[in-house]
Amino acid sequence: MTKETLMHGTDRAPTQGPVLSPLGSLSSLTLTRPDDWHLHVRDGDSLDAVVPHSAACFGRALIMPNLRPPITTTVQALTYRERILASVPQGMAFEPLMSLYLTDNTPPEEIDCAKASGFIIAAKLYPAGATTHSDAGISAIDLIHPVLERMEKLGLPLCVHGEATTPDVDIFDRERVFIEKTLSPLVRHFPGLKIVFEHITTSEAAQFVRAAGTNVAATVTAHHLLLNRNALFAGGLRPHHYCLPVLKREKHRRALIQAVCSGNPRFFLGTDSAPHAADTKEAACGCAGCYTAPLALGLYAEAFETEGALDRFEAFASLNGAAFYGLPPNEDKITLQRKSWKVPDYYAYLDDKLIPLRAGETVAWKLAPMSDGVPP
Ligand code: DOR
Ligand code: ZN
């Protein structure tokens, strides 16, 4: 594969829209280049390992700020963004959009700087202790009311990791309890605040977003669309299926599928692709996160296909998120071919391996032609 075929803008598809195979099933799908509205790339040497995977498929990604230490200021976000851009392969036009990590001590003036920067498009609420590197997160939502007021006023969206964290709440109920105790009151208190309920996993969350106003939206991951909680224990303990919020029952997975396939513009793509070295997942106390960036588009296409809803895939993947964030869609296109391909057993990562979801198994849809350029 030449460098040219990897470049955005030179990989335009030969055909537009869905193409039928001789047997009548869909054989290819051309769509506006998608964006990933929820992505972890970490920092340092991790960037060269993972940024090219996202850049090969997505035009833009909203980069999560849960580094150690977290990205809490506009200045930190600016230099982090530059480090990410340095890992974008030449000729690719990937744009990292940045988010700020809110703490109990974030001053409202930081929101002014973030908004003025032009490249920070959201601030992230991690309840303290909810997930990876969230210990500097919010301990009591009231503490950030002045910050949320400023965000509401300036039109800076709030991205929310929506899980209750008190130990009395069962891990499978954390999202539902968060909606009742925190998110519903928050939406009432700040009716003009744009909120993205991140990586929703339950029927209650899908229903909450559906019933909310146009200021509330949700991202949905590919793994929560395709797997239920049985996948955590299929034939043994499966650390590479462990993420947060944890996978839920089949009825919740079905509710998510229905939400994204409904055509409601307030559901959009966010992979939550989260790299962790194999050693740290295959451990006595394994990290949460599924690495999906190189195969996510194929996985999402599988999810829409099972529902006979591929005609609604482009809006979910490429249009709804940009519209919610007030950005234009990408100008170029990608093509997915219905062509099974084998996911590598692992990718090189730091001094270790990075095991993707579906490692060594197949995905039914393949990005053409850039997927050949994804490092093995
Ligand atoms: O599974 C997850 N991994 N969920 C999160 O919320 C964070 C992420 C990570 O950063 O590893
Ligand atoms: Zn995440």
Side-chain angles (χ1 to χ4, degrees):
M1 151 144 304
T2 64
K3 200 141 223 174
E4 277 65 44
T5 55
L6 285 170
M7 289 168 66
H8 294 179
T10 56
D11 53 11
R12 287 183 192 281
T15 51
Q16 301 285 307
V19 175
L20 292 180
S21 76
L23 294 175
S25 61
L26 209 55
S27 65
S28 86
L29 192 60
T30 293
L31 59 154
T32 301
R33 182 178 293 279
D35 300 307
D36 183 350
W37 297 102
H38 186 128
L39 178 66
H40 300 268
V41 291
R42 316 298 184 206
D43 206 348
D45 290 343
S46 172
L47 297 176
D48 279 347
V50 302
V51 168
H53 292 162
S54 293
C57 336
F58 296 101
R60 298 167 288 199
L62 179 54
I63 307 296
M64 291 297 123
N66 62 333
L67 303 185
R68 198 162 251 161
I71 300 295
T72 56
T73 67
T74 304
V75 172
Q76 287 170 336
L78 172 67
T79 53
Y80 183 33
R81 178 174 178 271
E82 281 163 3
R83 293 193 296 280
I84 297 168
L85 281 171
S87 293
V88 176
Q90 261 205 331
M92 288 190 187
F94 181 69
E95 187 186 355
L97 301 166
M98 308 308 288
S99 59
L100 275 195
Y101 185 117
L102 297 179
T103 73
D104 289 348
N105 303 312
T106 301
E109 295 71 36
E110 194 60 56
I111 300 302
D112 301 342
C113 292
K115 180 70 183 178
S117 76
F119 59 82
I120 296 176
I121 64 156
K124 179 84 189 261
L125 162 55
Y126 285 106
T131 188
T132 309
H133 301 169
S134 63
D135 28 316
I138 303 304
S139 62
I141 192 84
D142 297 4
L143 294 174
I144 58 162
H145 272 200
V147 164
L148 298 177
E149 256 161 43
R150 194 67 63 93
M151 291 173 64
E152 182 179 40
K153 185 168 159 222
L154 297 181
L156 190 77
L158 177 73
C159 297
V160 179
H161 183 111
E163 289 196 283
T165 52
T166 49
D168 56 306
V169 180
D170 187 283
I171 190 166
F172 293 100
D173 297 333
R174 282 179 170 187
E175 190 170 274
R176 180 175 58 72
V177 173
F178 183 86
I179 295 170
E180 289 162 17
K181 297 236 166 98
T182 307
L183 193 54
S184 295
L186 192 73
V187 168
R188 278 198 300 274
H189 198 101
F190 298 99
L193 180 63
K194 282 184 141 185
I195 296 176
V196 183
F197 195 174
E198 298 291 338
H199 42 52
I200 60 166
T201 61
T202 57
S203 60
E204 289 88 351
Q207 180 50 29
F208 178 82
V209 171
R210 231 181 265 119
T214 53
N215 59 315
V216 178
T219 55
V220 188
T221 76
H223 44 286
H224 289 109
L225 286 174
L226 291 173
L227 301 174
N228 66 34
R229 65 189 194 175
N230 285 349
L232 283 164
F233 310 107
L237 196 58
R238 302 286 190 150
H240 299 291
H241 290 160
Y242 174 56
C243 62
L244 287 171
V246 73
L247 297 171
K248 302 296 192 302
R249 284 179 182 277
E250 177 63 7
K251 70 170 183 188
H252 294 296
R253 190 190 72 82
R254 290 287 324 148
L256 298 182
I257 288 270
Q258 276 158 16
V260 301
C261 294
S262 70
N264 184 320
R266 287 182 294 110
F267 295 99
F268 46 84
L269 186 158
T271 62
D272 198 15
S273 179
H276 290 276
D279 269 4
T280 65
K281 286 197 63 77
E282 298 167 2
C285 185
C287 295
C290 297
Y291 187 64
T292 56
L295 61 149
L297 282 183
L299 296 177
Y300 281 113
E302 284 183 8
F304 276 76
E305 185 177 34
T306 55
E307 206 58 17
L310 278 171
D311 56 327
R312 299 197 161 158
F313 181 47
E314 181 181 41
F316 172 79
S318 316
L319 307 177
N320 297 347
F324 187 82
Y325 279 101
L327 296 167
N330 292 312
E331 283 175 8
D332 60 335
K333 308 256 179 205
I334 61 154
T335 294
L336 292 172
Q337 292 171 328
R338 202 177 190 302
K339 192 172 170 188
S340 170
W341 62 284
K342 184 172 172 275
V343 179
D345 294 330
Y346 61 88
Y347 297 97
Y349 189 66
L350 312 178
D351 293 332
D352 197 350
K353 293 174 178 171
L354 176 55
I355 313 243
L357 200 77
R358 291 254 181 112
E361 296 171 38
T362 58
V363 174
W365 289 84
K366 185 173 177 163
L367 188 64
M370 296 78 70
S371 56
D372 293 341
V374 172

